[in-house]
Amino acid sequence: MPFPIVNSIISWFLKKRKHQMELFLKYPIYVQDELLFKLLQKAKDTEVGLKYEFSTINNYNEFAQKVPIQQYETIEPLIERARKGEQNIFWPTPIKWFAKSSGTTNAKSKFIPVSEEALEDCHFKAGKDMLCLFFNNNPEAELFTGKGLRLGGSSAVYEDNNSYFGDLSAIIIENMPFWADFSSAPKQETALMAEWETKMKAIVDETIDEDITSLVGVPSWMLVLLNNVLERTGKTNILEVWPNLEVYFHGGVNFNPYREQFKKLIPKKDFKYYETYNASEGFFAIQDVNNSYDLLLMLDYGIFYEFIPMDKFDGENSIAIPLSKVKLHKNYAMVITTNGGLWRYLIGDTVKFTSLNPYRIRITGRTKHFINVFGEELIIENVESALKQACLKTGAEVSEYTVAPVFMKEKDSGGHEWLIEFRKHPECINYFKELLDNALKSINSDYEAKRYNNMTLAMPKINIAREGLFYDWLKQKGKLGGQHKIPRLSNSRKHLEELLSLT
C-alpha cells in the first residue's frame, strides 16, 4: 500500500501541471489555432491530407472550406482499411488500437482509431489533469494513501489483423503507466475481464478489504457495484466499508438522476463529486471547481473544436463556427479534429457554454437523442431537470428511464410515453406525472405550446418498469457494463417496444 510520503510527492507533481494549464486559460484561441496547424502539418502527407490539400491551408476559413464535416458512416471505409493494417491514411504515426463503441442507438459497432498521441497527450494527460485539479482544489486530499477503484468497460482487448480493439477503458488499462496501475484497484487482470457479472463479483471480492479512497466510473454501473458491495459485506453504507473515501470521478451519463442515491450510499458531508467528459474519440472537459456543474474545456489535448448551432443543425451539411465565435447558453453540436486522425468529426454530443473566460460547458444531450416528432424540441437536459424536480417534490428516486413518442391516430393527439424504473416509488404516480408535465412546460416553451389544451400533445403516459428490467434488456443485447448506456430519448418507439415486451 502507498505510504503518506508517496501521496505528498505525487500530489506535488500533479499540481505542477496547473501552471501549464494557465497558457490555454489565458490564450485559448491562440492555443487552439496553433494546435490546428500542428495537426494539419503533421498529417499533410497522409492520404486524407493530400486529398484535402492540408499543406495549402493557411487559416481556419480555408480549413472549413476544404475539409467537410463528417459522421462515422462517411469515414468508416477508411477506418476499416486501417483496421486491416493499412497506415498513413488519416494519421501519419502507426495506429493499432481501435476503441469499439456501439453507441446507444445502433447495434452496429463503431471502431474509433486511437493513436499513440491520443493515448499519451489526451487520455493519459486528462487522467493526470483530473487528479491535478482535484488536488489543487483540495490540498489536504490523501488519495494516494489508498487506492482508486476503477470501473471500466466489460470487454477485454481483442486482436484482429494485427490491430487491437475493445472498450476505450480496456485499451487505457492495457496501456496504463505503471504509477497509475500501482495506485488502482482491481488488478489489471480483473479490470479486463470480459463477462460482466463474473467481473462484478471479482471486483467486490478483491476490493472490500482494500483502503479505497476514490471511485472512477459511469454512475449507473457504479451504483450496481456499490450495492453489490453492501450486499456482500452486510454494511449499511459505503463509508463503513471504505471509511477514507474522498471523491467520485464520474462521467458518461447525466449525474443528476443518481445524485441523491449516491448521497445515501456515501453519507459524508464533504465528499466530493467530480465530473469528466470523455468518449472513445477523446477526452474533452473536466470539472475544475469543487461543487460545480460546469466543466472546463481542455484546449491542449490535441483536439481542435468547432461548434454547430443546433437551431441550424443539418448533419454533415451544417456550417460550424470556431471556439472564438460561440455564445453563452446556446445549444451546440460539437465537431472535433483530433490527434487520432478524426477530421471535422461530428461526435454527436450537444453542449452549451456557461462561461467564456475560461471556456466552461455543460453537456446537454445528443444530436440524435431528442424528441421532436411534434415540434416540441425536447432534449435530455430538459427531461433530466424535470425528473429532478418531480423526484424532489415526491421523494421518488429513478434508476433508469426511456421516453418515446406516441404517434397521432385520426383525431387523437400525440404524446410521450415514459418507461421508468424507480428505486423508490412515488406515493401517487398521477401526482408525479403532473409534476413532471408541469416542469417540462416551465422548462421548454415548445413543449408547453404543444401541450396547450392537449391539441398536439396529450398528457404523458408513464409505465412503471419492474425492478431490473433495463438491466435485463442490456444483458439480452450483450451490453452489460462500462460504456453501455440506456437510450433516454428517441423519435422512434423501437427501444420502448423492446423493453415493454420484457415486462
Side-chain angles (χ1 to χ4, degrees):
M1 179 180 293
F3 297 101
I5 187 65
V6 176
N7 181 77
S8 299
I9 293 171
I10 295 177
S11 62
W12 172 81
F13 174 78
L14 289 169
K15 284 188 281 190
K16 285 183 66 179
R17 160 67 177 150
K18 189 69 169 63
H19 298 297
Q20 298 172 358
M21 293 182 197
E22 295 296 331
L23 180 63
F24 78 73
L25 290 173
K26 289 181 178 177
Y27 309 105
I29 307 307
Y30 172 81
V31 168
Q32 276 282 281
D33 287 346
E34 184 180 47
L35 172 60
L36 173 61
F37 290 106
K38 282 183 178 178
L39 294 172
L40 290 168
Q41 179 65 24
K42 180 144 192 172
K44 63 183 174 63
D45 294 323
T46 63
E47 183 177 317
V48 170
L50 293 171
K51 178 179 180 180
Y52 296 118
E53 300 178 324
F54 285 1
S55 62
T56 68
I57 295 175
N58 297 307
N59 54 56
Y60 169 74
N61 288 335
E62 290 180 3
F63 173 66
Q65 289 167 5
K66 289 194 172 187
V67 183
I69 292 173
Q70 300 172 98
Q71 300 181 94
Y72 183 82
E73 291 73 17
T74 302
I75 63 172
E76 182 185 24
L78 298 181
I79 290 175
E80 283 304 302
R81 286 170 52 199
R83 287 187 63 218
K84 292 176 181 177
E86 286 190 59
Q87 297 293 345
N88 204 44
I89 299 173
F90 39 76
W91 192 247
T93 59
I95 293 179
K96 65 176 183 176
W97 300 97
F98 294 85
K100 183 181 178 183
S101 171
S102 60
T104 47
T105 58
N106 298 324
K108 188 176 183 180
S109 295
K110 296 179 181 179
F111 294 89
I112 305 300
V114 181
S115 65
E116 288 292 338
E117 292 90 340
L119 277 175
E120 291 294 333
D121 300 333
C122 183
H123 294 292
F124 289 150
K125 189 175 182 179
K128 289 181 278 188
D129 284 356
M130 179 178 76
L131 294 170
C132 163
L133 290 166
F134 177 76
F135 272 104
N136 269 277
N137 293 327
N138 305 280
E140 303 304 316
E142 297 185 337
L143 296 190
F144 290 99
T145 61
K147 292 189 175 183
L149 193 162
R150 59 193 179 192
L151 183 60
S154 57
S155 297
V157 176
Y158 302 96
E159 184 176 358
D160 182 34
N161 295 312
N162 294 317
S163 66
Y164 301 83
F165 68 90
D167 286 353
L168 175 69
S169 54
I171 292 172
I172 288 174
I173 290 170
E174 184 89 12
N175 290 277
M176 190 155 310
F178 78 92
W179 61 267
D181 195 46
F182 175 66
S183 60
S184 301
K187 60 188 178 184
Q188 187 180 82
E189 180 184 349
T190 305
L192 291 174
M193 288 175 69
E195 206 286 309
W196 176 254
E197 291 175 326
T198 304
K199 172 180 174 175
M200 183 67 70
K201 182 180 183 303
I203 292 175
V204 173
D205 290 342
E206 195 174 313
T207 59
I208 54 175
D209 294 321
E210 290 278 8
D211 181 15
I212 300 298
T213 54
S214 65
L215 305 172
V216 183
V218 176
S220 52
W221 297 111
M222 185 60 74
L223 272 179
V224 174
L225 174 64
L226 297 184
N227 281 306
N228 281 350
V229 167
L230 294 184
E231 185 178 340
R232 169 77 168 77
T233 60
K235 303 297 185 181
T236 58
N237 69 65
I238 292 299
L239 294 177
E240 293 177 4
V241 184
W242 299 316
N244 298 318
L245 199 60
E246 293 186 40
V247 60
Y248 173 33
F249 298 101
H250 61 87
V253 297
N254 189 306
F255 190 55
N256 283 336
Y258 305 100
R259 193 177 299 276
E260 294 306 314
Q261 296 175 57
F262 274 93
K263 286 182 179 178
K264 289 181 180 178
L265 286 172
I266 309 171
K268 185 177 183 180
K269 287 186 177 180
D270 60 346
F271 187 77
K272 301 295 189 300
Y273 296 92
Y274 263 61
E275 185 174 359
T276 63
Y277 175 21
N278 64 316
S280 299
E281 294 86 352
F283 207 119
F284 310 123
I286 304 172
Q287 179 183 329
D288 65 319
V289 179
N290 284 343
N291 307 313
S292 172
Y293 295 121
D294 302 332
L295 308 180
L296 179 68
L297 192 63
M298 306 302 286
L299 303 178
D300 64 349
Y301 285 178
I303 299 174
F304 179 78
Y305 295 97
E306 297 173 84
F307 302 89
I308 302 169
M310 278 305 289
D311 56 4
K312 298 178 181 177
F313 183 79
D314 187 22
E316 293 183 336
N317 298 316
S318 303
I319 296 175
I321 60 173
L323 184 64
S324 60
K325 293 186 178 180
V326 299
K327 296 179 180 178
L328 288 174
H329 310 302
K330 189 175 177 67
N331 211 26
Y332 293 102
M334 198 159 75
V335 177
I336 57 173
T337 291
T338 77
N339 54 6
L342 298 176
W343 298 96
R344 305 199 80 202
Y345 180 81
L346 187 58
I347 190 173
D349 291 339
T350 60
V351 301
K352 69 177 180 182
F353 284 85
T354 57
S355 167
L356 301 182
N357 185 25
Y359 286 97
R360 290 197 181 98
I361 61 172
R362 290 189 189 181
I363 306 161
T364 54
R366 299 277 295 171
T367 56
K368 293 182 179 179
H369 296 182
F370 58 88
I371 300 181
N372 193 32
V373 173
F374 312 102
E376 66 272 48
E377 301 271 356
L378 197 68
I379 63 174
I380 291 176
E381 185 184 35
N382 302 155
V383 169
E384 300 280 12
S385 179
L387 267 179
K388 182 179 180 181
Q389 291 182 44
C391 285
L392 284 174
K393 291 179 180 178
T394 61
E397 293 178 2
V398 172
S399 295
E400 299 290 356
Y401 73 91
T402 193
V403 192
V406 177
F407 295 103
M408 291 179 175
K409 291 183 179 179
E410 297 179 356
K411 295 181 180 181
D412 292 338
S413 300
H416 294 161
E417 185 170 1
W418 294 64
L419 180 62
I420 303 177
E421 183 179 332
F422 289 99
R423 183 175 295 275
K424 182 180 178 183
H425 290 253
E427 287 187 14
C428 177
I429 192 64
N430 286 331
Y431 179 52
F432 181 91
K433 178 168 64 176
E434 184 180 329
L435 289 170
L436 181 64
D437 183 50
N438 287 336
L440 287 171
K441 289 177 186 175
S442 69
I443 292 166
N444 184 318
S445 59
D446 291 313
Y447 178 88
E448 181 183 33
K450 301 303 181 291
R451 281 282 294 117
Y452 181 71
N453 285 340
N454 295 328
M455 289 181 64
T456 305
L457 286 178
M459 190 77 171
K461 177 182 179 181
I462 295 183
N463 302 293
I464 299 177
R466 63 170 172 81
E467 183 179 352
L469 174 65
F470 287 89
Y471 184 93
D472 292 344
W473 181 68
L474 287 172
K475 184 176 181 179
Q476 185 183 77
K477 290 180 167 293
K479 290 187 174 184
L480 284 181
Q483 298 168 336
H484 299 302
K485 308 162 194 173
I486 301 296
R488 299 304 193 195
L489 304 178
S490 176
N491 278 310
S492 82
R493 292 182 58 82
K494 178 177 180 290
H495 305 304
L496 181 65
E497 296 292 354
E498 289 178 356
L499 283 154
L500 288 173
S501 71
L502 297 178
T503 56

